């Protein structure tokens, strides 16, 4: 894939690939938040608290730091070379085509597995309200809605994602306000909490410091989706302005929407009572007599599931579109419809999701859900490592070719230390999975999903030619300066 002049210059209505630049700055910021605040945030948080105790907030803090590093690396690449499906293309150009093939297909399969779980979560909630309609029909119905949205003009997708994300953010803000009032004894009828709940059952790390690291893969799942800013780069207006703003704002909102609510949660809710049975946030409010919270958070989890399915399908569609453009997938998947949307890639992705929805109806146990989260975390971390690795090689290549990197409109700070930190911390997190019996299976499944496409490309795929577009010319990156 390439960077043409129309892609490099801001203000165009379409990229050189034919994709429409229909995403505004507010869309871009909320797309990333939509991806990271899925039903896993409201449901999966219970697993992390149950596994690590109150120290779960430290695990989320480390996860937030990793996200910040990845976003800063992505920012430099996405501003310099704003291409849709970017991290697959960056891996192809700055690491190797075989690695890009493995990462791209692994990332696609992750969302194909994960999006149906979100659809099923939405279906379960609707089935509770309308028992006459089976869960699977609700799930398929949501799948059809999301398909139509993703086949529409990209601005439609951005607008819907904006409002769905607003609902989730308002719910979290509501929880923070109520939790603060409960903590200080203003409401709830139990007086000032202090450290009674936070440290009263085994201290801050009741299961040891090691438990913090053992849960990191699930933490990374909850943060998956922030890389969609990069996938959307080619479809954003004035990327050199919108992407840095989106990265900065999303980073602070991650702190506000993850770290603060979670810390308040473990300050007012005993960690042993958390789990996957229901949202830990709803359970905490219910325990203080706010029984309406269960229904409200059911609605919020519903919007979170739809939102995450929406942004997840967007992300995996753009990934397989990039693979097709690079000659790593059938060429018909790289074609666009009249609205500038990769229609065939979207249909393939949603077809895979539908197959998984039907498969999940045979076993929707907590074990399957946990395995699914771990697998998503593995492949997502591989994609994040690829982003940081690509940025490292991109900067090194510019330096070798004599470019003045100070002219980059957006530069990753503390280079190369920040980039190396992001890479090796995530490698360590993946290695630690081997010591967690609950999550170890993600290695058994995730590694083959990564390695098989790489092997295929090494043996046969390299013979396929990419779509006839010029390669990235590093001189073009500086045409703007």
């Amino acid at each position: 894939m390439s960077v043409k002049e129309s892609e490099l210059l801001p203000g165009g209505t379409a990229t050189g690939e034919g994709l429409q630049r229909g995403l505004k700055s507010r869309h871009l910021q909320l797309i990333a938040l939509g991806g990271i605040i899925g039903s896993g945030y409201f449901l999966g948080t219970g697993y992390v608290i149950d596994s690590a105790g109150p120290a779960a907030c430290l695990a989320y803090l480390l996860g937030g730091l990793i996200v910040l590093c990845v976003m800063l690396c992505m920012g430099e690449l996405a501003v310099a070379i704003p291409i849709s499906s970017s991290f697959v293309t960056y891996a192809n150009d700055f690491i190797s085509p075989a690695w890009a093939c493995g990462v791209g297909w692994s990332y696609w399969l992750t969302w194909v597995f994960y999006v149906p779980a979100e659809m099923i979560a939405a279906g379960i909630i609707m089935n509770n309200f309308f028992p006459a309609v089976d869960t699977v029909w609700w799930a398929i119905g949501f799948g059809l809605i999301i398909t139509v949205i993703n086949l529409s003009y990209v601005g439609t997708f951005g607008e819907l994602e904006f409002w769905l994300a607003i609902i989730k953010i308002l719910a979290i803000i509501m929880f923070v306000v109520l939790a603060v009032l409960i903590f200080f004894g203003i409401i709830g009828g139990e007086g000032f909490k202090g450290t009674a709940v936070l440290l009263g059952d085994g201290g801050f790390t009741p299961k040891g410091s090691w438990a913090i690291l053992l849960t990191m893969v699930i933490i990374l799942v909850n943060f998956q989706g922030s890389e969609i800013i990069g996938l959307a780069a080619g479809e954003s207006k004035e990327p050199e302005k919108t992407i840095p703003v989106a990265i900065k704002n999303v980073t602070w909102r991650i702190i506000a929407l993850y770290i603060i609510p979670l810390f308040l949660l473990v300050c007012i809710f005993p960690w042993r009572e958390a789990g996957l049975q229901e949202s830990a946030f709803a359970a905490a409010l219910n325990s203080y007599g706010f029984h309406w919270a269960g229904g409200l958070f059911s609605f919020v989890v519903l919007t979170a599931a739809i939102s995450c399915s929406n942004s997840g399908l967007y992300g995996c569609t753009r990934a397989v579109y990039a693979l097709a453009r690079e000659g790593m997938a059938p060429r018909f998947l790289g074609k666009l419809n009249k609205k500038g949307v990769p229609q065939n890639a979207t249909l393939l992705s949603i077809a895979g999701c539908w197959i998984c929805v039907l498969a999940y109806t045979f076993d929707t146990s907590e074990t399957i859900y946990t395995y699914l989260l771990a697998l998503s975390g593995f492949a997502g971390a591989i994609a994040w490592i690829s982003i940081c690795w690509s940025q490292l090689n991109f900067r090194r290549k510019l330096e070798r070719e004599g470019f003045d990197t100070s002219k980059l409109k957006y530069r990753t700070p503390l280079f190369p230390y920040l980039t190396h930190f992001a890479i090796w911390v995530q490698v360590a997190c993946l290695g630690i999975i081997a010591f967690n019996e609950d999550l170890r299976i993600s290695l058994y499944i995730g590694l083959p999903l990564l390695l098989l496409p790489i092997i295929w490309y090494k043996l046969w795929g390299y013979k396929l030619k990419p779509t006839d577009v010029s390669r990235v010319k590093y001189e073009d990156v500086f045409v703007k300066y």
Side-chain angles (χ1 to χ4, degrees), residues 217-246:
V217 68
I218 299 297
I219 302 292
L220 295 179
V221 171
N222 283 350
F223 286 123
Q224 293 302 321
S226 56
E227 76 285 344
I228 291 175
I229 277 188
L231 288 164
E235 295 168 86
S236 61
K237 297 178 178 179
E238 299 185 300
E240 73 279 3
K241 295 181 180 179
T242 58
I243 291 173
V245 172

Side-chain angles (χ1 to χ4, degrees), residues 178-213:
L178 291 176
V180 168
L181 294 176
I182 290 170
F183 179 79
F184 286 105
I186 298 172
I187 60 176
E190 296 189 15
F192 178 66
K193 291 292 179 185
T195 59
V197 176
L198 182 67
L199 306 176
D201 187 3
F204 190 68
T205 55
K207 296 192 175 183
S209 301
W210 184 244
I212 298 173
L213 298 177

Side-chain angles (χ1 to χ4, degrees), residues 431-444:
I432 289 169
I433 296 176
F435 299 96
N436 189 324
E437 292 184 6
D438 292 339
L439 309 179
R440 194 177 297 154
I441 193 172
S442 65
L443 288 178
Y444 302 150

Side-chain angles (χ1 to χ4, degrees), residues 178-464:
L178 291 176
V180 168
L181 294 176
I182 290 170
F183 179 79
F184 286 105
I186 298 172
I187 60 176
E190 296 189 15
F192 178 66
K193 291 292 179 185
T195 59
V197 176
L198 182 67
L199 306 176
D201 187 3
F204 190 68
T205 55
K207 296 192 175 183
S209 301
W210 184 244
I212 298 173
L213 298 177
L214 287 177
T215 60
M216 277 308 300
V217 68
I218 299 297
I219 302 292
L220 295 179
V221 171
N222 283 350
F223 286 123
Q224 293 302 321
S226 56
E227 76 285 344
I228 291 175
I229 277 188
L231 288 164
E235 295 168 86
S236 61
K237 297 178 178 179
E238 299 185 300
E240 73 279 3
K241 295 181 180 179
T242 58
I243 291 173
V245 172
I247 288 172
K248 182 179 69 174
N249 289 344
V250 168
T251 299
W252 287 112
R253 287 170 187 174
I254 283 174
I255 295 173
L257 299 177
Y258 265 93
I259 311 303
I260 294 174
L262 189 70
F263 180 72
L264 288 170
L265 178 62
V266 295
C267 283
I268 67 171
F269 190 57
W271 64 270
R272 290 186 187 276
E273 297 181 24
L276 283 173
Q277 293 79 15
E278 65 175 322
S279 166
F281 298 96
L285 294 180
N286 279 333
S287 68
Y288 288 95
F290 300 99
H291 300 294
W292 49 267
L296 175 63
F297 271 89
S298 291
F299 172 73
V300 173
V301 172
L302 174 65
T303 61
I306 295 172
S307 173
C308 197
S309 297
N310 196 32
S311 58
L313 183 58
Y314 175 92
C316 75
T317 295
R318 267 56 181 180
V320 77
Y321 168 78
L323 290 167
R325 300 279 290 184
E326 297 290 355
M328 300 172 186
R331 186 161 294 185
F332 76 92
L333 295 174
K335 293 182 179 180
L336 304 174
N337 63 15
K338 294 179 180 179
K339 297 178 180 178
V341 174
Q343 176 176 306
N344 294 336
T346 301
L347 292 175
L348 174 69
S349 300
I350 198 64
C353 291
W354 285 340
I355 292 171
C356 292
V357 166
L358 295 175
Y360 290 147
T361 59
F362 296 102
D363 187 352
T364 55
S365 66
E366 289 181 9
T367 303
I368 295 297
Y369 184 73
T370 303
Y371 288 168
L372 180 67
L373 291 180
L375 181 59
S376 298
F378 174 85
I382 292 295
W384 284 8
I385 290 169
S386 179
I387 289 168
C388 299
W389 190 3
S390 297
Q391 185 270 329
L392 180 68
N393 291 351
F394 168 69
R395 183 78 74 91
R396 294 299 192 206
K397 187 170 183 68
L398 292 179
E399 291 172 350
R400 285 197 306 270
E401 297 188 5
F403 287 111
D404 182 1
T405 55
S406 65
K407 292 183 179 179
L408 287 168
K409 286 194 173 181
Y410 187 89
R411 289 187 297 161
T412 302
L414 302 176
F415 179 86
Y417 307 108
L418 181 144
T419 306
H420 280 296
F421 171 80
I423 292 172
W424 293 110
V425 167
Q426 291 181 88
V427 169
C429 289
L430 294 181
I432 289 169
I433 296 176
F435 299 96
N436 189 324
E437 292 184 6
D438 292 339
L439 309 179
R440 194 177 297 154
I441 193 172
S442 65
L443 288 178
Y444 302 150
I445 300 174
L447 281 174
L449 290 180
L450 173 66
L451 295 177
L452 286 175
I454 293 176
I455 294 170
W456 170 83
Y457 187 87
K458 288 283 188 181
L459 296 177
W460 301 285
Y462 70 93
K463 300 175 184 178
L464 299 176

